[in-house]
């Protein structure tokens, strides 16, 4: 089967002027990647690592300096308009909707833009409205929507023409926990139903864990990791942290299997334990702690993307 | 005494800040120069033809003096606010002006001083080159008397001040009541240039219109300084024009101050 | 799938219709906008008439004849400004990221830009131009015939097209020029100013820039001269008034080239 995305030695240089001198910056450096139809790929990296530049080259907004890129079997720059019919993009920061129009109008215009026959368009719109629970605000102008509502509308807009590939650029940024969860569930269901390929750039490990079965890490323009999530945690050695609030001051909870005790506060009322996915799970860990003390409350801190990326980079050296 | 020194220093800093902000827009200044030259050459064509068609002299303008009028007025464009855009209007719309009122600085004074700083800066990349280009490529008549230039410089500074103060009064201040001043700004843009004698010297207007224009502060922002520098108004006439500018400045500032206070009270009542 | 031309235009019509609706929905502010627009037209006409308060003939033309030039130019410019005026505000689109969104739609970029907005308020200014044009056509002794009517029609269409091309040229140029608005304004709005004038007073350099390169003289002055039967300036052939369509084609060639270069620059490469 033809890959949905294939890049070979993809490179993008920028000439930057700092003061008087000019030097070249490699925003994307020799990126060779192959994404098969139906995959869900997380594309992570620090800010300025080259994620948006890659997406711009995948969609034809930017011309590569060197190397090749094929999206849905088409050349993004030369076949941009044909490609646009097969790709849907959701920008977290930029809107594809018409700001002062009701949401419903934006969908109508987009259906016309993609030349969707009216019955098919109506059915698809109804389907998306129902599954993303947008019926309440269909008549509201986009600029009056909350962030959560707007993101749902953007996702619907990107999926209206049933594209083969959906690219999401920081889609859950700024959303509350409930909205994030609902959006993720929708994307998972959509993939299952239509076999849509997903490419997701994000800073949120939660997105990565729940949505992606493959992860690409980009660091300063170069591909630092290409594999699955367990492999990533293993390679990075990144750890999650369980923070427990106990009922009574307790001695440090050291020597619980698979954890490292990081610290205690308030004479042992709050304790921090780091662990990794390989050695134990949260329920098992919680059980071990509960054997020793009564737990009032708990939090799990995720390793942040920058931390993982830093570790990857260090591991590569 | 120390209070006065401190106040002066604060205003000086605001002036310099407005000055410095413009240096980021040197490219825009170059663009402004291109615009000045283009419009200047077009005006030369049409206005020279007008003077010639009138027999070589029109309301005291001969071709050379007309050239001076054209290039100096174009040069002043970057410094005289004909667009009606002023920062305080945005600050009122966004509500930031509430913070300004809490500061120990006069809102009117700060707004106008910022404008003046910006304007004075623009004299260098935009004002001088326009005059030079006009002088070199077209030629113009300039007064021989050095005192004309000294008075002219004063007149230009006064014009800048009157312009800033007038924009503040007519576009900024109403914002305290109506918030959205875009309509006023466009109206200001349409009217201010015309009545200031930007496209045609006001002395060429039909009498009724000429009198009407002089009943507004706009000629004080451009027509009068151009007349003083070009030497069209000399000696006592020039002093009279400068005196008129001073009068307009004081008047507009006074009304502006009164209305700023009223505006502040209005905002406080609104709770905004 | 065979699509009729009309159905392909549907998305463009939808966006324009919605922009028109949103502008007229705030009745009071729209009326204020119309009034300002009307005032701009009136002031511009006043500037021309004031000159004739002082002299009888300018560039060999009387006020009644200049009125025809002014009317034709200002009408065409206002209509072009209404439909294409937003194109020279490209930096705003770049800042908002709207241009990137255009890339993701299966439509030509320029079509999307042009149809993304329109300014209904400029109709009021067009009214001033129209009135001046009608007056100019009636009070002058024009020897009306079929060719005259044809020329008038050609001039209006070509004038509109030429001014529209200027806005597109400006948009393309602004991809390159940092803070390029004033530079392009010099030729777009300077061009308007030039087009309403008696070009017979122009020096040779002005003829090069606004006569032939940015063909402003062809939008109103030269057609008007033919209509009036006035041979000004005498060093140019009288039939040039019929070349307004040629000027429009040339202007669009400039515009599309400028747009193409600009887009290439934005994409960062020669493809």
């Amino acid at each position: 089967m033809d890959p949905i995305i294939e890049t070979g030695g993809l490179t993008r240089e920028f000439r930057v002027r700092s003061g008087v001198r000019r030097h070249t910056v490699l925003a994307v450096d020799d990126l060779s990647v192959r994404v098969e139809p139906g995959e869900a790929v997380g594309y992570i990296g620090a800010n300025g690592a080259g994620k948006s530049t890659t997406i711009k080259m995948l969609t034809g907004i930017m011309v590569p300096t060197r190397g090749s890129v094929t999206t849905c079997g088409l050349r993004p720059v030369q076949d941009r308009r044909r490609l646009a019919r097969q790709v849907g993009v959701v920008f977290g920061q930029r809107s594809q909707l018409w700001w002062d129009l009701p949401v419903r109008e934006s969908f109508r215009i987009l259906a016309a833009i993609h030349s969707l026959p009216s019955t098919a368009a109506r059915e698809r719109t109804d389907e998306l409205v129902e599954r993303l629970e947008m019926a309440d605000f269909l008549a509201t102008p986009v600029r009056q929507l909350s962030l959560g509502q707007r993101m749902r509308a953007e996702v619907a807009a990107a999926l209206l023409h049933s594209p083969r590939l959906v690219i999401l650029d920081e889609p859950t940024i700024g959303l509350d926990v409930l909205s994030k969860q609902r959006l993720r569930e929708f994307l998972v269901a959509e993939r299952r139903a239509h076999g849509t390929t997903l490419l997701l750039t994000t800073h949120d490990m939660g997105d990565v864990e729940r949505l992606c079965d493959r992860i690409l890490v980009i660091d300063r323009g170069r591909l630092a990791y290409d594999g699955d999530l367990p492999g990533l945690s293993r390679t990075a050695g990144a750890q999650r942290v369980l923070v427990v609030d106990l009922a009574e001051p307790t001695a440090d909870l050291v020597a619980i299997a698979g954890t490292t005790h990081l610290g205690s506060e308030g004479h042992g009322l709050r304790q921090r334990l780091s662990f990794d996915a390989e050695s134990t799970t949260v329920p098992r860990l919680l059980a071990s702690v509960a054997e020793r003390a009564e737990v009032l409350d708990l939090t799990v801190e995720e390793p942040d993307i920058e931390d993982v990326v830093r570790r990857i980079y260090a591991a590569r050296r | 005494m120390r209070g006065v020194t401190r106040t002066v220093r604060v205003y000086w800093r605001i002036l310099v800040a407005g000055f410095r902000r413009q240096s980021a827009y040197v490219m825009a200044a170059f663009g402004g120069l291109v615009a000045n030259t283009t419009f200047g050459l077009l005006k030369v064509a049409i206005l020279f033809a007008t003077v010639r068609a009138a027999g070589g002299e029109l309301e005291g303008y001969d071709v050379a003096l007309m050239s001076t009028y054209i290039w100096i007025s174009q040069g002043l464009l970057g410094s005289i606010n004909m667009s009606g855009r002023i920062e305080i209007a945005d600050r009122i719309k966004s509500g930031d002006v509430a913070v300004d009122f809490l500061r120990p600085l006069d809102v009117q004074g700060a707004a106008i001083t910022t404008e003046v700083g910006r304007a004075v800066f623009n004299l260098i990349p935009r004002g001088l080159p326009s005059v030079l280009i006009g002088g070199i490529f077209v030629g113009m008549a300039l007064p021989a008397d050095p005192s004309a230039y000294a008075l002219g410089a004063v007149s230009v500074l006064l014009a800048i001040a009157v312009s800033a103060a007038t924009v503040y009064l007519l576009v900024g201040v109403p914002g305290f009541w109506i918030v959205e001043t875009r309509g006023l700004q466009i109206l200001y843009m349409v009217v201010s240039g015309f009545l200031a004698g930007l496209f045609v010297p006001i002395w060429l207007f039909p009498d009724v219109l000429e009198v009407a224009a002089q009943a507004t502060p706009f000629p004080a922002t451009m027509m009068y300084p151009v007349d003083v520098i070009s030497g069209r108004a000399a000696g006592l006439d020039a002093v009279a024009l400068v005196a008129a500018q001073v009068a307009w400045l004081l008047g507009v500032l006074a009304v502006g101050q009164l209305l700023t206070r009223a505006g502040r009270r209005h905002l406080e009542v609104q709770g905004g | 799938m065979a699509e009729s031309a009309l159905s392909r235009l549907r998305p463009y019509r939808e966006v324009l219709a919605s922009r028109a609706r949103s502008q007229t929905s705030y009745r009071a502010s729209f009326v204020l906008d119309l009034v300002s627009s009307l005032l701009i037209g009136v002031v511009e006409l006043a500037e021309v008439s004031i000159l004739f308060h002082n002299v009888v003939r300018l560039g060999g033309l009387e006020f009644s004849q200049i009125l025809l030039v002014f009317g034709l130019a200002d009408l065409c410019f206002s209509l072009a400004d209404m439909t294409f005026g937003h194109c020279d505000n490209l930096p705003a689109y770049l800042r908002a990221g709207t241009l990137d969104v255009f890339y993701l739609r299966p439509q030509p970029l320029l079509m999307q830009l042009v149809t993304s907005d329109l300014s209904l308020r400029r109709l009021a200014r067009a009214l001033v131009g129209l009135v001046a044009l009608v007056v100019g056509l009636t009070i002058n002794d024009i020897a009306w015939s079929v060719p005259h009517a044809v020329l008038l029609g050609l001039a209006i269409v070509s004038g509109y097209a030429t001014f529209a091309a200027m806005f597109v040229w400006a948009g393309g140029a602004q991809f390159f020029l940092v803070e390029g608005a004033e530079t392009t304004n010099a030729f777009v709005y300077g061009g308007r100013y030039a087009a309403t004038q008696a070009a017979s007073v122009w020096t040779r350099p002005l003829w090069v820039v606004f006569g032939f390169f940015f063909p402003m003289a062809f939008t109103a002055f030269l057609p008007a001269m033919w209509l009036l039967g006035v041979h000004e300036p005498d060093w140019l052939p009288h039939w040039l008034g019929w070349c307004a369509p040629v000027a429009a084609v040339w202007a669009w060639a400039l515009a599309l080239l400028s747009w193409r270069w600009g887009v290439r620059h934005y994409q960062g490469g020669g493809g």
Side-chain angles (χ1 to χ4, degrees):
Chain A
M1 221 190 310
D2 284 328
I4 281 268
I5 296 175
E6 183 160 32
T7 74
L10 191 61
T11 307
R12 176 69 214 183
E13 284 176 8
F14 285 112
R15 241 171 279 128
V16 175
R17 206 176 300 155
S18 57
V20 195
R21 255 163 292 130
R22 247 185 270 180
H23 63 274
T24 320
V25 169
L26 282 167
V28 175
D29 189 359
D30 199 24
L31 188 71
S32 298
V33 149
R34 194 187 154 103
V35 176
E36 303 293 337
E39 284 194 70
V41 180
Y43 194 35
I44 67 179
N47 281 325
K51 301 196 297 285
S52 352
T53 311
T54 314
I55 293 188
K56 285 187 179 176
M57 289 194 282
L58 286 175
T59 48
I61 297 176
M62 198 163 276
V63 169
T65 315
R66 274 193 299 281
S68 69
V69 53
T70 317
T71 313
C72 300
L74 299 166
R75 299 163 302 169
V77 174
Q78 291 86 340
D79 306 320
R80 174 189 72 82
R81 288 166 60 189
R82 258 201 297 162
L83 182 59
R85 295 188 186 276
Q86 304 196 35
V87 176
V89 181
V90 178
F91 285 117
Q93 316 280 44
R94 256 167 265 160
S95 180
Q96 295 200 61
L97 306 168
W98 283 267
W99 208 236
D100 45 1
L101 296 183
V103 175
R104 191 197 350 244
E105 292 283 300
S106 284
F107 290 156
R108 258 196 33 224
I109 296 175
L110 282 167
I113 286 176
H114 286 284
S115 313
L116 300 177
S118 44
T119 4
R122 213 178 323 127
E123 281 172 9
R124 180 70 171 149
T125 313
D126 291 341
E127 178 196 345
L128 290 168
V129 166
E130 191 195 320
R131 287 168 53 202
L132 283 164
E133 296 167 33
M134 297 191 292
D136 302 338
F137 55 87
L138 270 186
T140 320
V142 171
R143 73 181 126 94
Q144 291 175 12
L145 297 178
S146 72
L147 183 61
Q149 292 171 325
R150 214 200 87 207
M151 286 316 297
R152 277 182 275 159
E154 299 275 352
V155 171
L159 291 171
L160 197 67
H161 55 292
S162 308
R164 291 171 62 199
L165 168 64
V166 177
I167 300 178
L168 304 108
D169 193 12
E170 311 261 7
T172 60
I173 201 167
L175 291 181
D176 61 87
V177 172
L178 188 62
S179 303
K180 280 193 203 187
Q181 184 187 325
R182 279 154 66 178
L183 197 60
R184 290 172 192 155
E185 282 168 13
F186 170 78
L187 289 170
V188 168
E190 178 75 13
R191 258 191 78 212
R192 214 180 300 134
H194 300 278
T196 322
T197 313
L198 225 59
L199 176 63
L200 171 73
T201 74
T202 181
H203 273 253
D204 190 324
M205 275 308 239
D207 284 347
V208 170
E209 282 175 14
R210 285 156 190 76
L211 282 175
C212 310
D213 34 53
R214 180 174 164 199
I215 296 170
L216 301 171
V217 178
I218 186 167
D219 180 41
R220 276 163 259 208
R222 301 199 122 250
L223 191 63
Y225 177 83
D226 180 357
D228 59 17
L229 183 56
L232 181 68
S233 306
R234 237 177 293 129
T235 318
Q239 311 228 306
R240 303 166 81 189
V241 175
L242 177 70
V243 183
V244 283
D245 287 333
L246 305 173
E248 292 168 344
T250 314
D252 289 354
L253 295 165
V254 294
I256 297 189
T259 77
T260 312
H261 181 260
L262 289 180
S264 300
E265 288 168 45
H267 301 291
L269 272 179
R270 171 174 286 185
Q271 308 213 11
R272 301 165 62 86
L273 302 165
S274 77
F275 66 99
D276 59 65
E278 294 293 290
S279 41
T280 185
T281 63
V282 173
R284 220 181 298 151
L285 182 52
L286 205 52
S288 310
V289 172
E291 280 172 15
R292 313 235 197 136
E294 186 185 339
V295 178
L296 287 182
D297 201 357
L298 65 90
T299 321
V300 177
E301 291 175 1
E302 307 284 348
D304 64 79
I305 298 274
E306 270 77 30
D307 193 44
V308 169
V309 171
R310 234 178 290 128
R311 287 166 177 270
I312 297 259
Y313 191 62
R316 277 172 67 217
R317 290 191 144 170
Chain B
M1 188 60 217
R2 216 181 307 146
V4 175
T5 320
R6 212 183 316 135
T7 319
V8 168
R9 208 179 308 152
V10 171
Y11 278 112
W12 174 252
R13 259 195 226 122
I14 297 180
L15 199 74
V16 171
F19 200 87
R20 225 178 253 144
R21 263 209 298 230
Q22 282 299 100
S23 61
Y25 301 116
V26 174
M27 275 303 296
F30 172 74
L33 194 59
V34 172
N36 278 351
T37 312
T38 314
F39 276 98
L41 289 172
L42 285 168
K43 280 158 78 171
V44 160
I46 200 81
L47 289 173
F48 279 24
T50 311
V51 170
R52 290 196 183 110
E57 193 269 349
L58 185 57
E59 301 285 347
Y61 285 99
D62 60 5
V63 167
L65 200 60
M66 191 56 95
S67 183
T68 315
Y69 151 80
I70 290 172
W71 296 107
I72 296 186
S73 57
Q74 288 296 120
L76 285 178
L77 262 184
S79 306
I80 306 295
N81 191 334
M82 300 273 180
S83 68
R85 267 187 280 266
I86 187 171
E87 194 189 328
I88 187 101
D90 299 323
R91 292 186 73 79
I92 292 176
K93 209 158 78 154
S94 69
D96 288 343
V97 71
V99 176
D100 293 343
F101 275 120
L102 292 175
R103 294 211 189 103
L105 211 57
D106 182 39
V107 168
Q108 180 193 26
I112 293 177
T113 318
T114 317
E115 261 291 303
V116 171
R118 176 201 71 81
V120 171
F121 178 86
N122 257 337
L123 284 176
I124 301 172
R126 194 158 166 169
L128 282 161
S130 298
V131 179
L132 281 173
I133 286 180
I136 293 174
F137 289 103
V138 182
M140 59 172 95
L142 287 173
D145 184 8
S147 70
Y149 296 100
L151 197 60
V154 171
S155 187
V156 167
L157 288 173
L158 281 171
I160 290 177
V162 173
S163 164
T166 309
V167 177
Y168 175 80
L169 174 65
L170 294 180
V171 183
V173 161
F176 291 132
W177 284 270
I178 65 175
V179 182
E180 177 59 76
T181 53
R182 201 190 62 136
L184 278 175
Q185 181 237 309
I186 295 180
L187 226 52
Y188 188 93
M189 187 171 62
V190 178
V191 166
S192 62
F194 179 59
L195 292 179
L198 175 60
F199 283 103
V200 177
I202 65 172
W203 315 119
L204 268 58
F205 285 8
D207 294 331
V208 176
L209 213 52
E210 189 181 315
V211 169
Q214 291 189 283
T216 71
F218 297 116
T221 65
M222 185 170 276
M223 198 71 247
Y224 298 169
V226 171
D227 275 355
V228 172
I229 298 180
S230 66
R232 186 181 175 280
L236 276 175
D237 294 331
V239 174
L241 289 180
V242 172
Q245 284 183 292
V246 173
W248 275 114
L249 181 62
L250 294 175
V252 171
L253 281 178
V255 177
Q257 178 65 220
L258 284 171
L259 289 178
T260 306
R261 295 205 187 147
R264 177 187 193 155
R265 279 195 300 272
H266 178 85
L267 281 182
E268 283 166 4
V269 166
Q270 287 248 301
Chain C
M1 191 195 312
E3 302 165 25
S4 72
L6 207 61
S7 74
R8 243 187 310 192
L9 291 177
R10 187 156 65 101
Y12 303 124
R13 281 185 289 136
E14 301 264 0
V15 176
L16 286 172
S18 72
R19 294 299 306 144
R21 265 190 307 246
S22 99
Q23 278 172 28
T24 54
S25 61
Y26 297 103
R27 198 54 57 83
S29 102
F30 183 58
V31 169
L32 193 65
D33 282 344
L34 282 176
V35 169
S36 321
S37 206
L38 190 72
L39 210 62
I40 294 176
V42 167
V43 165
E44 272 159 10
L45 186 54
E47 282 160 13
V48 174
S49 68
I50 282 175
L51 293 177
F52 283 93
H53 175 78
N54 294 279
V55 299
V56 174
R57 299 184 93 87
L58 256 186
L61 299 177
E62 296 174 358
F63 180 52
S64 57
Q65 296 169 319
I66 282 292
L67 208 54
L68 178 60
V69 177
F70 176 89
L72 191 54
D74 215 53
L75 173 67
C76 294
F77 182 83
S78 307
L79 291 175
D81 197 4
M82 176 176 75
T83 47
F84 284 79
H86 52 284
C87 293
D88 74 344
N89 199 11
L90 195 77
Y93 286 88
L94 292 179
R95 270 189 303 259
T98 317
L99 198 71
D100 287 350
V101 172
F102 286 170
Y103 272 91
L104 302 171
R105 302 210 188 111
Q107 299 168 303
L109 296 174
L110 185 57
M111 276 299 277
Q112 292 188 63
L113 177 66
V114 172
T115 58
S116 68
D117 205 356
L118 84 168
S119 301
L120 283 180
R121 66 175 183 269
R122 311 225 203 251
L123 278 174
R125 185 166 161 189
L127 191 63
V128 175
L130 183 62
V131 167
L133 176 64
V134 168
V135 172
L137 287 173
T138 35
I139 68 177
N140 286 301
D141 267 325
I142 298 181
W144 283 108
S145 68
V146 171
H148 283 83
V150 170
L151 178 67
L152 181 63
L154 272 180
I156 293 177
V157 172
S158 311
Y160 171 79
T162 308
F163 287 122
M166 290 302 290
F167 285 109
V168 172
W169 165 83
Q174 286 178 0
F175 277 113
F176 291 98
L177 306 167
V178 179
E179 300 280 348
E182 292 228 53
T183 313
T184 59
N185 282 351
F187 299 104
V188 173
Y189 295 94
R192 186 217 71 81
Y193 182 51
T196 57
Q197 286 184 350
S200 34
V201 305
W202 289 352
T203 55
R204 288 307 156 94
L206 280 179
W207 268 102
V208 169
V209 176
F210 289 115
F212 299 106
F213 190 71
F214 295 115
M216 300 290 103
F218 286 84
T219 60
F221 179 75
L222 290 170
M225 291 302 100
W226 196 92
L227 278 178
L228 294 166
V230 173
H231 193 175
E232 283 278 4
D234 52 16
W235 52 272
L236 279 179
H238 195 64
W239 47 260
L240 271 188
W242 283 92
C243 295
V246 176
V249 168
W250 164 252
W252 269 98
L254 279 183
L256 290 175
L257 198 65
S258 165
W259 177 256
R260 196 118 187 265
W261 279 347
V263 165
R264 280 243 184 91
H265 176 83
Y266 180 71
Q267 286 180 200

